[in-house]
Amino acid sequence: MVLPGQACWCKTPGNPPDSFANQFRHAFRQFSVALLLLAAASSTIGVQPVSGAFSQPIGVCWGRNSWQQMPPKTVVKLLQDNGIKRLKLFGADVDILRALVGTDIEVAVMLQNEYLNLVAGSQKEAGKWLSNNVSPFVFPGGANIKEIAVGNEPFLQGYQGMYEAAVVPAMRNIYSALQDSKLDDKIKLTVPLNADILGSSYPPSSGAVRDDILEDITQIADIIKRSGGTFSINIYPFLTLHQDTSGTIGLNQVFLGQPGGQAWQVKDPTSGLKYDNIFDGAFDAVVTALDKIGYGDLPIEIGEIGWPSDGQGDSRGYATVDNAYRFNQAILAHMLSGKGTPARPNQVISGYLFALTDEDRKITLAGPFERHWGIFRTDGTPKYPLDLTGGGRNVTLKSASGLVFYPGQWCVAKASADPEKLADAVAYACGDQKPSDCTPAQVGGSCYFDGNTAKVATYAFNSYYQLSNQSSGACDFKGVAEVVQSNPAQEQCKYLLGIDQAASKAAGVRLGMGVWYHHLVMVLTAVLMVAMLP
């Protein structure tokens, strides 16, 4: 007896059994039709059957403001190798999204600040941005895009109101474009906000949005709620500590009780809630502020949080590898513990570690540390162990694979060089827009060496040489530098070896094509088998 939907290769009255060749041809035709239907679906907008909310609580931010960038396929492999399944981009780069196709990595893309005014002024421009940057990648097996961030800290006071008027209309137009494309049930909206949207934040029960943007934030919260999104706030305990010149804030307050020693606790005089770390206080100030504008039940995610590993810029020693490890390990454990915060207890806090990699071209107005937030260096090597599950274990992260580096040679200061000439050469190598990053060799950095001129010069010269792609003449500096074959690394100071971007990109393409090549071989083999059958 054959049940409905089952195939029958048995003999039935009046119908001779098909030959194996005919059955294979029939199966292959069905398989070919399935492939064609899948290809057709790739050009169809709005059919990816995914939920609107992120299923992964913790992700990483990936910025690409670096002199030598790892290819997107290499970075996607790095994410997969380390079990990172959620990613926030500071744009909607086509090459990155193409590399994410076929993975289960949940992605947040961004409408960058420079496009806010354009999109705010035209529904057509919003639709065009969506159709160019998002829609082509939303198909079964495509890029798992979950969220669009409209702007990046657009109300930051340092922008002096440059983007404020554009955020709400841009958000409305993007939301309408999502609805028109039937993507609004799959992709949600947010606006990553800096904590300076609050006019008051201490104690947490006094949390309140700044008066000058109160109406904007209220409308943003409304659109986020209607779209099914989350309110995104960037919290940086490091900056709170760094900006405290009075010494009233201790490391145990920002490390969530770490290191050991006397515990710290403060009681909010209004709510009566007790706080033992700065993060909880900052988070609950946002909870209070949202409650005051009528959106106290809106989900909150951490848009950015992290700790820099270098580039302190002074002698206080906060930006170190050890401190970055301790903070990131502690904050992950706290966010994933389910403990929540005093004002929102018993919940997992979702968000993004800032950042995946260092960015050696970032502007350093806030401090040299701005280039050193990555849990990986620019070459994809991990800085410290980190348990991304929040378990607190010393998990060794895996390095990027498939990168091609320049030959093992480094540029160093000549032992006989005149100190004054070295100083002049360092000033040149570290100058504005020069291909170098000298922040580790500044005061408090891992390669400062108490200001030893020759050692600082060696770091600066080598950075310039490697980021100039080891080009001829990039290691001379009027005769005070030379190329050597041994790595000059000392103590905690790591000396860069440049990435051959062209060769690495080719290797990344081969890496990404491996799976597709395997499937292609299988299909072609099947075609040849059919063609050879009698």
Side-chain angles (χ1 to χ4, degrees), residues 219-481:
Q219 292 183 65
I220 286 170
D222 182 66
I223 298 171
I224 289 173
K225 186 171 184 177
R226 286 191 288 117
S227 83
T230 55
F231 193 85
S232 181
I233 190 76
N234 299 343
I235 296 178
Y236 280 106
F238 171 83
L239 295 179
T240 303
L241 180 67
H242 181 74
Q243 293 163 5
D244 173 41
T245 57
S246 64
T248 57
I249 299 175
L251 286 175
N252 59 332
Q253 294 168 248
V254 295
F255 283 170
L256 296 90
Q258 299 182 15
Q262 185 176 358
W264 172 83
Q265 190 177 81
V266 63
K267 183 177 180 179
D268 189 308
T270 301
S271 68
L273 297 173
K274 296 178 180 179
Y275 292 87
D276 60 9
N277 66 83
I278 286 175
F279 171 81
D280 283 356
F283 188 96
D284 283 358
V286 178
V287 173
T288 304
L290 287 174
D291 188 56
K292 288 177 179 177
I293 62 174
Y295 292 91
D297 60 344
L298 197 62
I300 300 172
E301 71 178 12
I302 305 303
E304 298 175 16
I305 192 165
W307 196 280
S309 60
D310 208 337
Q312 175 64 42
D314 58 40
S315 60
R316 290 182 292 172
Y318 298 145
T320 67
V321 169
D322 285 345
N323 284 345
Y325 157 72
R326 289 159 68 186
F327 176 80
N328 283 334
Q329 193 83 303
I331 197 64
L332 285 173
H334 183 61
M335 292 171 68
L336 293 170
S337 68
K339 177 183 176 182
T341 66
R344 283 197 178 177
N346 306 317
Q347 64 177 252
V348 169
I349 301 171
S350 67
Y352 299 92
L353 274 185
F354 187 87
L356 178 63
T357 64
D358 286 346
E359 296 177 86
D360 55 18
R361 293 189 72 173
K362 282 191 74 174
I363 295 172
T364 59
L365 290 178
F369 54 80
E370 284 289 5
R371 296 179 175 177
H372 302 280
W373 294 95
I375 57 177
F376 292 89
R377 300 179 183 87
T378 55
D379 63 0
T381 56
K383 300 177 183 178
Y384 44 82
L386 190 63
D387 185 353
L388 295 167
T389 69
R393 301 167 298 152
N394 280 346
V395 177
T396 301
L397 299 175
K398 296 180 181 179
S399 297
S401 59
L403 288 176
V404 180
F405 293 91
Y406 287 109
Q409 53 192 36
W410 294 263
C411 182
V412 303
K414 287 183 177 178
S416 60
D418 178 81
E420 289 188 7
K421 291 182 179 180
L422 283 177
D424 290 342
V426 168
Y428 174 83
C430 300
D432 289 343
Q433 301 304 313
K434 294 295 191 300
S436 64
D437 173 30
C438 299
T439 54
Q442 296 180 21
V443 177
S446 62
C447 302
Y448 180 59
F449 298 113
D450 295 323
N452 180 289
T453 302
K455 291 183 178 180
V456 167
T458 287
Y459 187 86
F461 294 168
N462 185 66
S463 178
Y464 182 94
Y465 176 62
Q466 303 296 342
L467 296 179
S468 297
N469 305 316
Q470 293 191 359
S471 62
S472 176
C475 182
D476 180 68
F477 299 100
K478 296 184 177 180
V480 298

Side-chain angles (χ1 to χ4, degrees), residues 16-101:
D18 283 348
S19 69
F20 176 80
N22 287 338
Q23 293 164 17
F24 190 92
R25 288 191 184 96
H26 177 67
F28 185 76
R29 288 192 196 100
Q30 289 182 318
F31 176 66
S32 300
V33 170
L35 287 178
L36 290 172
L37 288 174
L38 180 59
S42 300
S43 62
T44 303
I45 296 172
V47 292
Q48 187 175 13
V50 296
S51 64
F54 287 99
S55 65
Q56 302 296 322
I58 296 295
V60 294
C61 301
W62 178 24
R64 305 183 73 208
N65 197 358
S66 302
W67 287 103
Q68 293 176 341
Q69 298 178 358
M70 291 188 287
K73 289 185 182 296
T74 299
V75 175
V76 170
K77 181 69 162 51
L78 176 67
L79 296 171
Q80 293 173 318
D81 288 346
N82 288 285
I84 299 172
K85 296 184 178 181
R86 182 172 172 180
L87 178 67
K88 178 180 176 180
L89 302 174
F90 293 96
D93 186 280
V94 170
D95 289 336
I96 296 174
L97 292 174
R98 189 178 292 122
L100 287 162
V101 167

